[in-house]
Amino acid sequence: MDESTLTRRRLLELAGIGLGASALAACTAGIEPAVTSPAGPLTVRTSSGSFVSAYRQGVTSHWALAAPELPAGGARPQLPVAVFLHGLGGSHRVLLDGLAAHEALQRHVDAGGTPFAVAAVDGGNTWWHARADGSDTQSMLVKEFVPYLGGEGYDLGRIGLFGLSMGGFGSLLLASQGRLPGVRAVAAMSPAVWDNYDSRIEGAFDDPADFAANDVFALRPRLAAVPKRIDCGTGDDLAATVRAYRAGLPGAVEGGFQPGGHDDGYWRAILPDVFSFLGRNLA
C-alpha cells in the first residue's frame, strides 16, 4: 500500500474548518489500490487516515473513504458524500472490510448511478451521541469529520447518512436532530432502535434522561421531509421493533424486510439497493 502524508499547506487549510490542532497534527491519508472495471467510466479509489478527536477525549480516530476518481482536466464537479456509521464493536474498517462498500460503489457507478463518495470514522461503542463520560461522537462527526470531508472538496450540501445496527440508530438520530443541514437522505440497515428505556440495552444510554434526549421514536416527526430507507432481516431479533419504528414514520419509507439475519451477509446483499437510494437522492 502506497501512503502519503497530508502536506503542510493542506493542514493549514484544514485549520479553518473546525479540526483542533492536535487532530491536525495526527491527520494522515493513504491511497489504496484502485477497484477497477474495464467497462466503467470511473474508477473507485480508497484512502484512509486518522486524527485525534477533541470529542473522544484524545482518542485517535481512524477513517476510511472510497470515491470515484473524476477525470482530470476541465470543470471537476464536487461529489456528494454518504457518511457511514458502524455498529457496536465495529470501526471504520467495517465500511471496506465487512461491507466491501468500495466494490459495491464501483458496480453502482459502472451501472450509471450517481457518483458519490462514502466515508466512515471510528465511533467506539458510544451509540453516536453525547455520553456521561464526556465523549460525543455525534459532535465529532458534525464538527470534525464532515468539515474535513468538505475541506477535501466533497459537497456538504449533498450529504447522505447510512449505518447498520448501532450505526443505523445513530444515522436516524443525527438525521432527526438536524445538526447537518446538508443531509439529503438517510438509510438504516437493521437499526438498533427501542421504544422505551431498558438499562440492559448494552450501554446504549446512560440513564432514562439520556434515552429521552435521544429517543428516535419520539423524534420521528422530524424526518417527515427527509427521504428515508430502512431495512431489516426477517430473522433479526430487532425486526419487530424496527417494524414498529417504520410504521410510525411520516411520509414514504423505502426498503423493507428481506430474508436474512443481523450479519455482513445480509448487509452486503442489500447494500446495492441502499446505494441506489442514496444516489437518487444525492443527485
Side-chain angles (χ1 to χ4, degrees):
M1 174 175 118
D2 295 326
E3 294 190 356
S4 62
T5 303
L6 290 177
T7 64
R8 174 70 60 180
R9 178 184 61 80
R10 188 73 196 104
L11 292 178
L12 291 174
E13 290 172 357
L14 288 173
I17 63 170
L19 285 175
S22 60
L24 293 175
C27 205
T28 60
I31 303 298
E32 299 282 355
V35 177
T36 58
S37 172
L42 299 173
T43 298
V44 171
R45 294 188 182 274
T46 65
S47 58
S48 60
S50 64
F51 62 96
V52 177
S53 173
Y55 295 94
R56 295 191 67 201
Q57 301 173 314
V59 173
T60 298
S61 300
H62 297 267
W63 55 263
L65 182 141
E69 185 176 58
L70 298 176
R76 291 169 59 82
Q78 284 187 307
L79 286 176
V81 59
V83 178
F84 172 75
L85 280 64
H86 64 75
L88 190 70
S91 71
H92 71 289
R93 297 180 64 91
V94 171
L95 181 69
L96 303 184
D97 294 350
L99 294 181
H102 53 313
E103 297 175 3
L105 185 60
Q106 184 70 67
R107 292 190 293 270
H108 170 77
V109 297
D110 285 351
T114 297
F116 60 91
V118 293
V121 65
D122 293 343
N125 293 330
T126 65
W127 289 84
W128 300 105
H129 65 280
R131 304 307 302 269
D133 66 4
S135 65
D136 186 354
T137 45
Q138 187 185 93
S139 288
M140 177 190 68
L141 288 172
V142 172
K143 297 183 178 182
E144 294 178 329
F145 189 55
V146 170
Y148 167 74
L149 296 173
E152 289 296 293
Y154 296 102
D155 185 355
L156 301 192
R158 292 185 294 160
I159 298 172
L161 297 173
F162 71 117
L164 58 85
S165 193
M166 177 186 79
F169 162 82
S171 297
L172 294 168
L173 178 65
L174 181 53
S176 300
Q177 293 181 332
R179 296 185 65 189
L180 285 173
V183 170
R184 295 280 192 89
V186 59
M189 299 182 287
S190 314
V193 293
W194 296 275
D195 59 0
N196 61 83
Y197 174 74
D198 186 332
S199 61
R200 296 170 296 176
I201 305 175
E202 299 185 85
F205 306 97
D206 296 310
D207 50 40
D210 185 37
F211 175 85
N214 299 283
D215 181 355
V216 291
F217 272 75
L219 290 168
R220 284 179 294 186
R222 298 191 186 182
L223 291 179
V226 180
K228 42 203 171 283
R229 177 186 175 103
I230 300 174
D231 294 278
C232 191
T234 53
D236 194 321
D237 290 342
L238 293 168
T241 312
V242 172
R243 197 178 300 275
Y245 176 80
R246 277 179 54 103
L249 281 167
V253 185
E254 295 191 33
F257 295 83
Q258 310 87 359
H262 201 80
D263 52 59
D264 285 348
Y266 171 72
W267 297 320
R268 283 195 185 205
I270 65 172
L271 192 60
D273 291 332
V274 171
F275 279 3
S276 178
F277 163 80
L278 290 170
R280 281 187 281 109
N281 287 288
L282 295 178

